[in-house]
Amino acid sequence: MPCPAVMTWLGMTRAVSQTRLSTTIAKVIEARFDDERTLVHGSKHVDARKSALLTRLADERRRFSEELERLTGPIDRGTLGSWGGLAWELSDNLRARVLGRSTEAVAACRRSQHRTEARYAKALELPLPTALHAALVAQHSRVHHAARELAEIAR
């Protein structure tokens, strides 16, 4: 059996790794929440075809959180979303008034999707439990696919 100092170091390393994992997953969930909120907001400012896509993607983001909750435990929904996400939403509202709602709504959704995809990529750099890694890979793939869908409706 290792000496107490080694055991303490191993325990601290494990605790730091767990904290880093928790923080990273919290950032993924926060980005996902911001993305869902942007998609819902954008769906109100576009035609019916685009609205259907944005609504479907928002529902998909919500399901992603439910899946992550099953794997990591309950999420405090009262603190979800970032101040940055809220600031983006407010600035998107201003841009929409100036540039036109439909064009800016889709552009805002594309920016949000890009931020969300970056958070997933960052999380996937960490050593993760197998089930969590598989879920994040699948979700990251769907978020990446959404970029193409959003690009198509931006034309």
Side-chain angles (χ1 to χ4, degrees):
M1 174 170 239
C3 73
V6 170
M7 292 301 290
T8 301
W9 178 82
L10 288 173
M12 288 173 34
T13 301
R14 219 174 272 125
V16 168
S17 295
Q18 189 61 32
T19 300
R20 186 171 171 212
L21 173 63
S22 298
T23 301
T24 302
I25 296 303
K27 287 181 178 182
V28 167
I29 292 168
E30 181 179 89
R32 192 260 358 124
F33 182 80
D34 288 344
D35 197 30
E36 178 187 357
R37 185 172 53 199
T38 301
L39 291 162
V40 167
H41 180 74
S43 72
K44 298 173 186 173
H45 303 290
V46 295
D47 63 46
R49 181 181 66 84
K50 292 176 182 177
S51 180
L53 172 65
L54 298 181
T55 300
R56 180 179 57 78
L57 292 175
D59 289 343
E60 182 178 72
R61 300 303 182 270
R62 182 186 42 75
R63 287 191 306 274
F64 287 173
S65 285
E66 292 168 357
E67 182 179 12
L68 291 176
E69 276 188 284
R70 283 194 307 275
L71 295 169
T72 63
I75 299 165
D76 179 7
R77 296 188 184 282
T79 60
L80 284 179
S82 66
W83 285 107
L86 183 59
W88 274 105
E89 187 174 334
L90 293 173
S91 68
D92 288 340
N93 281 336
L94 181 59
R95 277 193 292 262
R97 290 186 196 281
V98 173
L99 300 174
R101 291 198 177 275
S102 180
T103 302
E104 185 51 35
V106 174
C109 291
R110 292 180 74 189
R111 287 189 298 273
S112 178
Q113 178 278 331
H114 181 73
R115 288 189 302 273
T116 302
E117 188 172 3
R119 292 291 179 141
Y120 274 94
K122 186 83 171 161
L124 288 169
E125 293 173 1
L126 294 176
L128 300 165
T130 304
L132 182 57
H133 183 267
L136 289 175
V137 165
Q139 291 179 11
H140 182 246
S141 175
R142 280 297 308 138
V143 169
H144 181 74
H145 180 72
R148 290 185 295 241
E149 294 177 288
L150 291 170
E152 286 178 18
I153 69 168
R155 298 174 205 186

